[in-house]
Amino acid sequence: MGKTSSSWLKGFFAVLKKDLQSEFRTRYTLSALFMFALTTLVIVSFSLGVMEIDPGLHAALLWIIVFFASMAGMARSFVKEEEAGTRLALRLSGRIEFIFFGKLLFNLLMLMILLLVIGPLYLIFMLPPLESYFVFSLVLFLGAVGISGATTILSALVARAASRGTLLPVLSFPILLPILFTSINATRLLFSGSGFGGIHSDLLFTLSYSVIIITISFLLFGFVWEE
Amino acid sequence: MKIILDEVGKAFNGRYIFKKISWEVEGFSCGVITGPNGSGKSTLIRIIAGLSRPSRGSIFWSPSHGEKMPPGKRNLIGYLAPDLKLYGELTAIENLEFFSSVRGIELTSENIRKHLEKMGLGEAKKYRVSEFSSGMEQRLKLAFATVHNPQLLILDEPGTNLDKTGNDLIEEVISEQLKKGTVVLATNDDREVQQYGQNILQLA
Amino acid sequence: MLAKVFLGVAMSVVIYAAFFYAPSAMGLGEKSRIIFFHVPLAWVGVLAYLVSMVHAIKFLKTRDLYHDRMGSFNSEMGVVFTILATITGAMFAQAAWGVYWNWDPRQTSIFVLLLIYGAFFALRSALEEEETRARLSSVYLILAFFSVPFLVFIVPRIYSSLHPDPIINVEGSLNMDSKMFQVFIASLFCFTGLYFWIYNLNSRLIKLKARSGGDELE
């Protein structure tokens, strides 16, 4: 018995695996994400019809859908531990890095699944002009990294608080603003015909900001998780 | 593992539950905390488990055999309390497997199976915890507290929900633990106090 | 005692000077006088935030609730100053450029500061237990800080590509003549002094409260 690299890897993915198993059974997070995103998309598509709209508006709409859907779904990872009462057991046993990155990876995976569906759906329903699907996916992916990165520690905060529903958007908004702005801008440029070259600085911003936020939240996570 | 409490006090929102508790539990011995409801037994036990910080005073844990205290004492401590809950949607085995991985400890399924059998859960190991009776759940919690061979075993009202066989199991576990480490027991049960109480801390 | 009197006198002098001593800025007229109040207000709002952050970090290190109380009080002060700064800033923007809001770096960062404060207070009001509330809100304050420098860099780039009209926003484009500059600096000092006076008062108040009733053991 001892720490080998394989047991470290196993531990690292243990939380992710458990949350995925739980999600597979209840589908709670995915339903929240999809219900919200699909409803909003349908409303948008229905009311705007075949109108040709400005690329900036397309970008804004897409990311509004993504942002609010995330708010509906991201809190779950820590809130469910709180509600099930398992937080104590997890605190007693879990290495902090396993917990933080496990939950982060879970949230990221959930968001990626959402975007895998909503991205194409938006393109189909709203028909914004787009040349490179690959770059578009990159923008979505980096946005997802940023959103899940910031909301991990915030959902741990919200889980301890009383009025959980409205608190996550309020807390996330200032911290996610840089990600939203750069992702919206990059998307807008893509829909205006720009290629990778035109948006690479936005992508760089999103990536570096996400890395910084994830690092800082990991450093601070101990203060939230432990007393 | 030896535990030393030096004038420990804990307050919530400015009101102190207890103040200036000083106590020592020697390695390989059993300390008993007792007191009426609301006297702060569970609060103190959480401090001893490292789950909570004292508002005043300090607490020291020194591992046995003169080792230095490792940065994460999590794996040296086993904890059982009424508010502990395990994952209902997982089976008994899956629960213990999960908790061991997340501790960074390598435990074979064989080890876990044997441990569950020792706890009287051999039959039930493949059932989801949500289907357990309260007695079975208590046994699983005991398994959770001991499967990683902790140096310090902390038990808050371990006899809850247990029948005579269950209580015998507790006795067994405690005497085994005393051979390789320390036990701290919080209880209101006079019988338990009598049985283990060489070193009693009476709260309020 | 002397300092307070000096501060009071200095403030009055500044207010008078802002309206009568300093000349009005070229091209902007009397409306530019708001600069003497707007910038110091914004500066103090930011200062209060930075001080709150220091208290947050100190709290996490020492777990002394004094730092939590000071931090939250500082934030309360900070919000007030920041709201005033936002309002005066919008008034100035309207006077100078015809729009109340144009997302220039300063306006954006002031706005984000308000959002952060709002979120901070929302979080605190949702947490009952003192120690938990202190710990969690300190973490949030520190984390939220990191969004500000990023926004200051990102927003102007994006905004200028969206709105290429000549609404250039550098406040330093006001060439201040020496009189204006004097009043400006004096005002800055006075507001900072005001801040520290309130800070000091409250620090003593908090310590007194803790000694007399709040904490039982001393």
Side-chain angles (χ1 to χ4, degrees):
Chain A
M1 183 165 98
K3 268 195 308 232
T4 64
S5 58
S6 77
S7 73
W8 200 90
L9 215 58
K10 201 167 150 225
F12 196 80
F13 287 109
V15 175
L16 174 64
K17 188 172 146 220
K18 172 189 73 71
D19 280 352
L20 282 177
Q21 278 178 317
S22 169
E23 180 63 26
F24 183 71
R25 259 182 281 250
T26 62
R27 279 178 285 276
Y28 194 102
T29 305
L30 284 175
S31 354
L33 288 174
F34 274 99
M35 251 185 20
F36 199 100
L38 289 173
T39 319
T40 344
L41 181 56
V42 164
I43 293 175
V44 165
S45 169
F46 188 78
S47 37
L48 292 176
V50 289
M51 225 167 70
E52 225 191 84
I53 54 181
D54 185 73
L57 185 53
H58 271 303
L61 287 171
L62 177 62
W63 284 98
I64 287 174
I65 296 173
V66 171
F67 174 71
F68 284 105
S70 308
M71 292 299 104
M74 295 289 102
R76 187 88 186 124
S77 50
F78 281 101
V79 168
K80 72 165 172 290
E81 306 281 355
E82 193 76 27
E83 282 175 358
T86 49
R87 181 170 62 95
L88 183 57
L90 196 54
R91 255 197 77 194
L92 283 164
S93 47
R95 288 180 62 125
I96 236 185
E97 51 268 33
F98 292 170
I99 296 175
F100 182 78
F101 286 105
K103 297 286 183 185
L104 195 157
L105 285 175
F106 176 75
N107 274 346
L108 180 59
L109 209 61
M110 293 293 106
L111 258 191
M112 279 170 62
I113 293 177
L114 175 73
L115 289 173
L116 224 61
V117 175
I118 291 295
L121 274 183
Y122 188 89
L123 295 179
I124 293 172
F125 276 102
M126 302 298 295
L127 296 173
L130 182 64
E131 280 173 25
S132 170
Y133 294 115
F134 174 70
V135 185
F136 181 60
S137 325
L138 197 56
V139 175
L140 290 181
F141 173 68
L142 284 179
V145 169
I147 293 177
S148 47
T151 51
T152 303
I153 194 177
L154 293 178
S155 93
L157 285 179
V158 163
R160 307 296 304 279
S163 59
R164 295 188 197 130
T166 51
L167 201 54
L168 186 63
V170 169
L171 294 184
S172 313
F173 191 55
I175 300 182
L176 287 180
L177 264 188
I179 296 182
L180 286 176
F181 280 170
T182 47
S183 302
I184 292 177
N185 196 49
T187 312
R188 175 183 67 83
L189 288 171
L190 276 184
F191 289 163
S192 313
S194 162
F196 181 74
I199 64 165
H200 82 273
S201 56
D202 283 316
L203 293 183
L204 207 59
F205 260 125
T206 315
L207 184 63
S208 46
Y209 183 70
S210 305
V211 167
I212 289 182
I213 287 294
I214 291 176
T215 311
I216 304 287
S217 26
F218 177 57
L219 293 174
L220 291 172
F221 185 66
F223 293 108
V224 176
W225 185 243
E226 283 165 12
E227 266 148 66
Chain B
M1 185 182 301
K2 177 172 172 170
I3 305 164
I4 303 173
L5 279 82
D6 183 19
E7 306 224 330
V8 166
K10 180 74 181 174
F12 289 107
N13 282 333
R15 272 184 49 241
Y16 274 85
I17 314 277
F18 46 75
K19 314 177 193 177
K20 300 205 169 179
I21 307 258
S22 293
W23 194 40
E24 271 184 39
V25 181
E26 292 290 332
F28 308 104
S29 79
C30 179
V32 176
I33 303 174
T34 184
N37 286 334
S39 52
K41 289 196 305 298
S42 295
T43 313
L44 184 58
I45 271 252
R46 288 176 68 101
I47 293 179
I48 295 179
L51 290 170
S52 191
R53 289 181 182 223
S55 311
R56 281 248 145 86
S58 33
I59 173 169
F60 303 99
W61 299 264
S62 46
S64 319
H65 321 301
E67 298 158 36
K68 249 185 49 152
M69 196 67 200
K73 58 182 180 291
R74 229 178 328 103
N75 291 344
L76 297 181
I77 296 179
Y79 181 84
L80 166 64
D83 58 347
L84 183 72
K85 279 201 177 54
L86 305 179
Y87 290 99
E89 70 263 29
L90 301 180
T91 68
I93 283 196
E94 284 170 350
N95 261 289
L96 291 186
E97 275 175 350
F98 171 71
F99 287 116
S100 312
S101 320
V102 122
R103 280 183 189 277
I105 293 178
E106 192 85 59
L107 274 183
T108 65
S109 319
E110 206 33 56
N111 279 339
I112 294 181
R113 249 186 290 260
K114 282 214 193 102
H115 194 74
L116 283 172
E117 272 165 25
K118 201 161 86 166
M119 295 290 144
L121 291 171
E123 304 288 302
K125 57 181 178 276
K126 291 237 170 88
Y127 293 135
R128 300 235 181 104
V129 173
S130 49
E131 297 161 18
F132 275 21
S133 69
S134 50
M136 288 160 75
E137 198 182 337
Q138 189 73 2
R139 285 166 183 265
L140 184 59
K141 282 158 66 164
L142 190 60
F144 166 76
T146 48
V147 73
H148 55 288
N149 270 321
Q151 276 191 24
L152 169 60
L153 182 62
I154 299 177
L155 303 171
D156 188 355
E157 316 217 4
T160 319
N161 293 318
L162 287 181
D163 53 14
K164 172 88 177 47
T165 334
N167 278 296
D168 289 340
L169 175 62
I170 303 262
E171 249 188 79
E172 221 185 286
V173 166
I174 292 184
S175 42
E176 249 188 65
Q177 177 67 21
L178 285 173
K179 293 192 200 128
K180 40 184 169 136
T182 318
V183 176
V184 171
L185 176 65
T187 179
N188 263 336
D189 186 326
D190 287 322
R191 202 188 50 83
E192 280 177 347
V193 176
Q194 290 290 6
Q195 190 167 9
Y196 304 110
Q198 287 94 32
N199 177 4
I200 301 181
L201 175 65
Q202 178 89 22
L203 287 179
Chain C
M1 185 60 209
L2 205 57
K4 270 179 279 177
V5 171
F6 177 72
L7 184 62
V9 171
M11 248 328 195
S12 323
V13 170
V14 165
I15 295 176
Y16 178 85
F19 287 103
F20 297 110
Y21 172 67
S24 57
M26 296 224 278
L28 278 170
E30 301 297 313
K31 304 176 206 143
S32 68
R33 295 185 191 278
I34 206 161
I35 268 284
F36 300 123
F37 304 106
H38 162 71
V39 176
L41 282 171
W43 154 246
V44 173
V46 172
L47 178 64
Y49 184 79
L50 291 174
V51 173
S52 298
M53 230 180 80
V54 169
H55 279 298
I57 295 174
K58 283 217 175 127
F59 173 77
L60 291 178
K61 274 205 184 138
T62 67
R63 303 300 170 112
D64 184 356
L65 282 167
Y66 164 76
H67 287 297
D68 174 61
R69 292 171 193 141
M70 284 307 291
S72 80
F73 162 71
N74 258 285
S75 300
E76 284 166 20
M77 263 214 287
V79 192
V80 171
F81 280 99
T82 307
I83 292 177
L84 289 174
T86 313
I87 296 174
T88 52
M91 286 162 65
F92 179 75
Q94 167 68 359
W97 306 308
V99 279
Y100 279 108
W101 200 264
N102 68 348
W103 293 111
D104 73 65
R106 284 185 194 78
Q107 278 193 316
T108 308
S109 37
I110 280 288
F111 176 66
V112 170
L113 210 55
L114 269 179
L115 287 178
I116 296 176
Y117 277 134
F120 175 74
F121 288 121
L123 180 61
R124 285 184 74 87
S125 63
L127 293 165
E128 302 265 313
E129 212 275 295
E130 198 173 28
E131 218 266 317
T132 313
R133 181 175 63 215
R135 200 162 35 93
L136 265 41
S137 57
S138 300
V139 166
Y140 184 75
L141 208 63
I142 297 171
L143 181 66
F145 171 74
F146 287 88
S147 64
V148 179
F150 270 86
L151 277 169
V152 170
F153 281 118
I154 293 171
V155 170
R157 246 188 6 97
I158 298 180
Y159 191 85
S160 58
S161 67
L162 285 170
H163 301 251
D165 8 358
I167 297 184
I168 307 154
N169 41 53
V170 182
E171 261 148 358
S173 66
L174 271 176
N175 294 320
M176 291 196 221
D177 81 356
S178 60
K179 279 192 188 167
M180 277 182 74
F181 191 70
Q182 287 165 13
V183 181
F184 181 77
I185 290 293
S187 177
L188 204 60
F189 269 106
C190 283
F191 273 91
T192 312
L194 181 67
Y195 168 75
F196 278 114
W197 179 46
I198 302 178
Y199 177 91
N200 185 261
L201 268 180
N202 212 74
S203 172
R204 284 152 59 194
L205 185 64
I206 286 179
K207 284 191 182 136
L208 268 176
K209 258 199 215 163
R211 206 169 302 156
S212 70
D215 302 340
E216 290 170 23
L217 279 184
E218 192 17 62

